[in-house]
Each structure stands twice: as structure tokens, then as C-alpha cells.
Amino acid sequence: MDSLHHDPHGPVLLVGGYGTVGSALARAAAAHWPLLLAGRSPQRAHDLAAETSAEVRAWDLSDPTPFSATARAVVTLVNDPHDRVLTAALRGGVAYVDITRWTSRLQRALTLTTLAAPTAPVLLSSGWMGGVVPLVAAALAHELGGLDSVEVAIRYDLADRAGADSVEFMDRLGIEFEVLEQGRRHLVAPLSSTRTIDIGGHATKVTRIDTPEQFTLPLTLGASTATTRIGFSSTASTSALVGLGRVGFFRYARGPRWQGLRRRLLHAPGTGGRAQLRVDATGPAGQRRATVTDPAGQAHMTAVGALLGLRRVLGADGAPAPAAGVVFPEHTPQPAQVGAALEAGGVDMALSTPTPRDEAA
């Protein structure tokens, strides 16, 4: 049985701490806390460990060999299909951050955590880009006096670097998912309701995708509509993906046999690109738009989100740590500081001029 023990002076445990996102987080976190990097191939972490003065240990979540460590907090940066890291953190009373779950797994983690009566905070931060999207939504809701609707559009740069775990959602593209629109819940198909939206000066064709903030934002901020769409930097690539969805490829080409092909459709790591997304919010005071840009790419933006989540559960962001139990990024006690926190991590959040509600109507 895996065993994690809380030590307020111990290291921060990063599970998957030397992958694409994990490496970026390790470099950012090393300035603040001692680190323990864990994963299935510890030899890959040699240079990073020397750079960050981190300890490295093996923990293969697909191998039943038990793992034991002490930590002040744990961040899961790889898929944990059997909830091993979460379960160990709950048993040991260790503050926990997870950025890797798609919606159904987040819902399972929410149930598991609630039933376990946790004694430390559990931050489920799997909203797009390590919780950056729900953080921005919280900032906009703060300015608007609430959140009636939120629409997210993501521009996925095909030149960017992407770890294999970041494209796990490709396996969900044949499964309908539930959303809330105008206060009514209904099922929508992935890769549907396509439109073209300007994201940071780029006309981007975007289409529906299942992401956790569409589940959490109505619960936490009261949004009656929450939608997320994604598109590639190449319109032709987005059109090809939508076309495959229309002919049922992702519905019928499921299972291990077609897994490699499904992943190759998206996982083509480049040398680096620019991560951009847009969040449009409507609230009692009107409308506001935020365009979020990270010139260092999506892995870096995700790592920034994970770092902010880690600071939150440790109470290292200028506010007391949350009480034991489940929290989401949008529960931030400092929504007015979200822009500054992102900027400190190298991520720009540009806000539009507010539109009063009567003019927006």
C-alpha cells in the first residue's frame, strides 16, 4: 500500500516532476521549497535534479510496488487512473494538487475525497492549463459582480511542445458530455458547434471539447452557461479533426488498437509555440473579456497554473491555506490578484474595456 506522511518541513512531491510540464514546475518551485521528483524513469531526471537540488525516486503508477515518502504537499502531473496518489495523500493528510484529470475522473476524485473526510486541502485544478481558465473566470466574475455565463476559446499551437499525457483527452472525442447552457443541462457532441473566434489577433476555428471547468464553474461561481472550445493554429488541421468527428472516427475507432493513431493526430511535439486562450464572461455589471498569452507555450502556462495551485494549498500566496476538503482554482480568495499572479509567472492577461449590461444586451 502506498504511504505518504505529512511533514510541514518536508519536500514538495512532484509526481511526474520531470516530464514536459513537471520540469517547468520543478524549476519554478525549486526557489521556494525542497523538491522530491517521482516517476517511472528516474534516470531521466538526472540533469533536472542537479539543476534544482531535488531528490529523485521511482514511482511507477502502473506498477503495484508500494511507494512511501514524507512531504509537505504533493502535485500530480501525470495521469493517475487508479487514484493512487490521491488515496495516499488522503490517508497521510498531505495537501494535494492535481492538474491532469478530465471531467469524469475529476468527478470521481470529488466523490472519493468527500467520502474520505480529508484532513488537508485537496485542490482539483484540472481546468484548462492547470487551472488558469477557472482562475481567470474568477477574476472576471469578481469584476462583474458575479458570473452569468462564461465562454472559453483555446488556440492550440501545433508548433508547441506537448507531453503525451496532455493529449489523453483525444480518447474522449467520441463521447458526448454534459454541459449547462442557459440554465439547462444537456449532452453535446465533441467537435460540434464550430465557429471562428479572434484569439489574440488570430482568427481561430474552434470546436466543442469536454473540459472540467464546464462542470465546476456552474457549481462554484453560479454560471448558467459554461462552454469551452478548442482550435489548432492551423485551420486546416482543425477542419480535418472536425471532419473525423463528423464521420464518427473517434466513436468507432476506440480501444487500444487505434490508440496510437488517435494520439498522433494531436501529439506532434514541436520546438515551442505560443499558448493563447480567450475567456468571455457576462455578469450583473456587463461583459468582460480576458485574452491570456504565454510566449513560452502551453506546458509553461500549465506549470504556472500548477505553481499557483501549490501556493494556494500551502497558504504561500498571501492568504491562509484553505480548510481541509475539496477546493477548485476559482475558489481563490484573491480574485483581483489573478492577473498579477499570472504576470509574475510570465503569463499575460489582457482585459477588454468593460461593456455595461444594457449595452451588451
Side-chain angles (χ1 to χ4, degrees), residues 140 143-144 279-283 286-290 350-355:
L140 295 177
E143 293 198 7
L144 296 171
V279 181
D280 288 87
T282 302
Q287 292 182 339
R288 200 84 194 266
R289 175 189 306 158
L351 296 174
S352 68
T353 302
T355 303

Side-chain angles (χ1 to χ4, degrees), residues 7-323:
D7 179 354
H9 305 293
V12 170
L13 169 60
L14 304 182
V15 183
Y18 45 87
T20 305
V21 174
S23 296
L25 175 59
R27 292 186 175 96
H32 307 284
W33 307 283
L35 301 179
L36 170 58
L37 310 181
R40 62 185 177 185
S41 305
Q43 66 275 9
R44 291 176 46 204
H46 180 271
D47 291 344
L48 181 65
E51 179 184 345
T52 59
S53 301
E55 180 187 355
V56 180
R57 292 181 52 196
W59 192 4
D60 184 348
L61 298 181
S62 65
D63 184 333
T65 303
F67 179 85
S68 179
T70 59
R72 71 178 70 194
V74 56
V75 183
T76 303
L77 299 144
V78 292
N79 290 314
D80 183 15
H82 303 295
D83 298 314
R84 289 179 61 177
V85 184
L86 173 58
T87 300
L90 289 170
R91 288 196 192 106
V94 179
Y96 172 91
V97 179
D98 192 311
I99 67 165
T100 64
R101 296 175 183 269
W102 56 73
T103 308
S104 61
R105 285 190 176 172
L106 181 143
Q107 292 166 337
R108 186 179 71 194
L110 176 59
T111 302
L112 190 158
T113 302
T114 302
L115 293 175
T119 58
V122 173
L123 178 60
L124 299 178
S125 193
S126 297
W128 193 262
M129 296 293 180
V132 168
V133 163
L135 279 172
V136 172
L140 295 177
H142 175 73
E143 293 198 7
L144 296 171
L147 190 66
D148 296 333
S149 69
V150 58
E151 297 194 12
V152 180
I154 299 156
R155 187 173 189 270
Y156 190 109
D157 193 334
L158 290 173
D160 206 351
R161 297 182 304 121
D165 282 339
S166 69
V167 296
E168 283 287 336
F169 68 85
M170 289 292 288
D171 287 346
R172 314 292 297 172
L173 292 181
I175 303 173
E176 292 184 332
F177 58 96
E178 187 179 80
V179 297
L180 186 71
E181 292 182 298
Q182 297 181 344
R184 300 184 64 182
R185 295 196 175 277
H186 64 104
L187 292 175
V188 299
L191 308 177
S192 64
S193 186
T194 303
R195 59 184 60 176
T196 299
I197 294 178
D198 182 280
I199 306 176
H202 302 279
T204 306
K205 186 175 184 178
V206 293
T207 188
R208 298 294 289 264
I209 187 175
D210 183 11
T211 54
E213 68 271 2
Q214 294 172 95
F215 167 70
T216 66
L217 291 176
L219 299 176
T220 54
L221 299 182
S224 60
T225 295
T227 64
T228 298
R229 292 177 172 85
I230 191 170
F232 296 138
S233 52
S234 163
T235 299
S237 295
T238 304
S239 297
L241 191 70
V242 170
L244 287 171
R246 286 176 178 168
V247 299
F249 172 81
F250 295 102
R251 180 179 297 275
Y252 300 110
R254 296 171 63 184
R257 178 182 177 185
W258 299 96
Q259 185 180 70
L261 176 58
R262 294 194 309 272
R263 303 289 175 81
R264 286 195 297 273
L265 290 171
L266 181 58
H267 184 222
T271 57
R274 178 182 295 265
Q276 289 186 305
L277 58 89
R278 166 176 153 175
V279 181
D280 288 87
T282 302
Q287 292 182 339
R288 200 84 194 266
R289 175 189 306 158
T291 302
V292 183
T293 303
D294 190 335
Q298 66 176 14
H300 182 264
M301 186 188 290
T302 304
V304 170
L307 179 65
L308 296 181
L310 179 58
R311 293 177 61 195
R312 180 80 291 274
V313 298
L314 291 175
D317 57 0

